[in-house]
Amino acid sequence: MQALTNRAKAVDRRPMTLAEKMYIPAIAKGMGITFKHLFQKKATVSFPEKKRDFSPVFRGLHVLNRDEEGRERCTACGLCAVACPAEAITMEAAERKEGEEHLYREEKYAAKYEINMLRCIFCGFCEEACPKDAVYMSETFAPANYQRKGFIYGKDDLLIPHPKEGK
Amino acid sequence: MTLLSIDWFFIIEKVLLISGVLVLSLVVAMYSTWGERKVAAWIQDRLGPNRAGFMGLLQPLADGGKLFFKEEIIPTNSNRFLFILGPSIAMLVACMTSAVIPWGDSLVIAGRTVSLQIADVNIGILFIFGVVSMGVYGIMIGGWASNNKYSLLASVRAASQIISYELPMGLALIALLMLTGSLSLKDIVEQQRHGLWNVVYQPLGFFIFLVCAFAECNRAPFDLPEAENELNGGYHLEYSSMKLGFFLFAEYINMFISSALISTMYFGGYAFPYMDKLGLDPNMVTILGFLALFVKTLLFIFFFMWVRWTVPRFRYDQLMRLGWKVMIPLALVNMLITGALVLARQH
């Protein structure tokens, strides 16, 4: 049979020699290896003090984007919810009223926009599906919570701060 | 100060010494748990406990406090008296062995010679053997009184393991005794102080003793009675709270004592090279000697841990085969060779 990789090694089925049967040389060798590891660099990252960098393509918690004037970009078209394989996104659309032009960019907006972070698989399909560049995935991950309802993120959790008002 | 012809100084001295040795073995056992976790972590390229205090040094205190405050469960169908007796015996026996180990030469305090050995009995090694084999009772009674077939099976396994490995251990010691001609540990150390360490004369005996010490302490690679990572506890399956703590703690005390014993019998005990040529105050030499023994003991404790995190566990039949078919014949051969050499030197 042809080997799949060139790393394959044939199993040595010869009977053990006396030195191998004595087991001591093998133990000594193993102890040498473990002793070397005592002084090797540790793999642990002391988490709260030190944080590992995320990769540039890391997909963390979602954010809802605003445009340059601080208006919400989302028009509640529902494409993200359709694209979502985990069915984590729900929304309710509403019509923009007179005098709300500074809040919402287009005539329709999401009155309610919820993402269930327990269902979400962070695949990033919502980000790809959004035609208005409203949903983005940030570089943070969901903090722990005591209850399930704490993982359902509403608009106030998702919207990025207003560029001028700071809220 | 002699009242009712009782030497009160003697009693005070011994009480202080006993408390000192007890505290020492408890503290060392406590910090062995910390050391074990640190060594394990370092060998596995981790950091180990480092949150409780500097370098995690308060970790043993936290663990102990946790064990004390955990819920105490005594199974309904267990024998209550024996259930409590089991860990008590294990702990008591573990603490008793240290009585005959010479922790140092003698100090001269206010004209009084104080020996740093609690009891220099002339049957020191026999005493240790007697006490160590009593340790099996703690395990046996604990497992049996739990009224749980798994605990019972594990304790039977533990008992047969300890008894099997006591034989080659004793045989290895007989070879040593042929050489020293004394059962008193103090004499054995004094002989090594003025000559070479016994490990030079008895390398095979030392090796057999070391391997058997691993088995006696239920340490890896012979930790089948517990097998922490796959059996749920072994003979102390039904134990909780500090009773479980006592079983685990006794294991660490045993490890400390057997390290001290190996250092005493094969590595010169409190003797260290050139100790009589330094020209220091005898009290100073005694203290240095104690430190030397302590360092040797700690090195052996480290060795115990190092082996534990290197060598995988034996299968039970392999364990028994090693004990009966390898260790005992080896110890017998060692005894024969030693005896022949001792005879040859006499003639």
Side-chain angles (χ1 to χ4, degrees), chain A residues 88-158:
Chain A
I89 304 178
T90 50
M91 68 186 71
E92 274 169 26
E95 201 180 337
R96 185 176 71 182
K97 299 272 171 16
E98 283 293 316
E100 287 181 339
E101 286 84 358
H102 65 291
L103 289 175
Y104 311 112
R105 204 166 71 128
E106 291 177 35
E107 290 90 55
K108 198 174 143 222
Y109 69 96
K112 203 176 98 183
Y113 189 96
E114 284 180 354
I115 302 181
N116 187 339
M117 293 300 173
L118 292 175
R119 294 198 67 126
C120 178
I121 57 169
F122 300 95
C123 60
F125 282 7
C126 46
E127 191 180 11
E128 279 175 34
C130 187
K132 299 289 179 189
D133 281 351
V135 171
Y136 272 101
M137 304 194 89
S138 66
E139 287 205 334
T140 53
F141 47 84
N145 210 306
Y146 288 108
Q147 285 169 313
R148 276 160 183 266
K149 67 181 179 199
F151 285 104
I152 298 172
Y153 281 44
K155 260 177 83 176
D156 42 346
D157 304 306
L158 295 168

Side-chain angles (χ1 to χ4, degrees), chain A residues 23-24 27 30-32 34-35 37-49, chain B residues 39 41-48 50-51 207 302-303 306-307 309-312 314:
Chain A
Y23 197 47
I24 303 297
I27 288 183
M31 305 234 336
T34 46
F35 195 73
H37 275 268
L38 277 175
F39 306 106
Q40 272 178 6
K41 197 175 164 291
K42 309 300 172 208
T44 314
V45 178
S46 301
F47 167 60
E49 294 94 39
Chain B
V39 170
W42 289 335
I43 283 177
Q44 296 167 352
D45 294 342
R46 297 182 284 115
L47 293 176
N50 61 354
R51 295 285 141 163
F207 180 72
F302 169 74
F303 187 75
W306 182 16
V307 167
W309 297 104
T310 304
V311 185
F314 279 86

Side-chain angles (χ1 to χ4, degrees), chain B residues 71-117:
Chain B
E71 189 187 353
E72 173 97 60
I73 298 166
I74 297 181
T76 325
N77 290 326
S78 68
N79 184 320
R80 207 186 153 83
F81 174 70
L82 292 179
F83 192 78
I84 296 170
L85 191 66
S88 317
I89 290 182
M91 195 70 181
L92 181 78
V93 164
C95 293
M96 258 165 75
T97 336
S98 55
V100 292
I101 294 176
W103 296 100
D105 204 359
S106 40
L107 286 172
V108 180
I109 300 167
R112 234 189 112 80
T113 312
V114 180
S115 167
L116 284 185
Q117 183 181 17

Side-chain angles (χ1 to χ4, degrees), chain B residues 234-246:
Chain B
Y235 59 86
H236 48 59
L237 179 64
E238 294 286 355
Y239 283 88
S240 54
S241 183
M242 205 53 207
K243 290 210 210 50
L244 171 69
F246 270 13

Side-chain angles (χ1 to χ4, degrees), chain A residues 16 60 63 125:
Chain A
M16 284 196 285
V63 290
F125 282 7

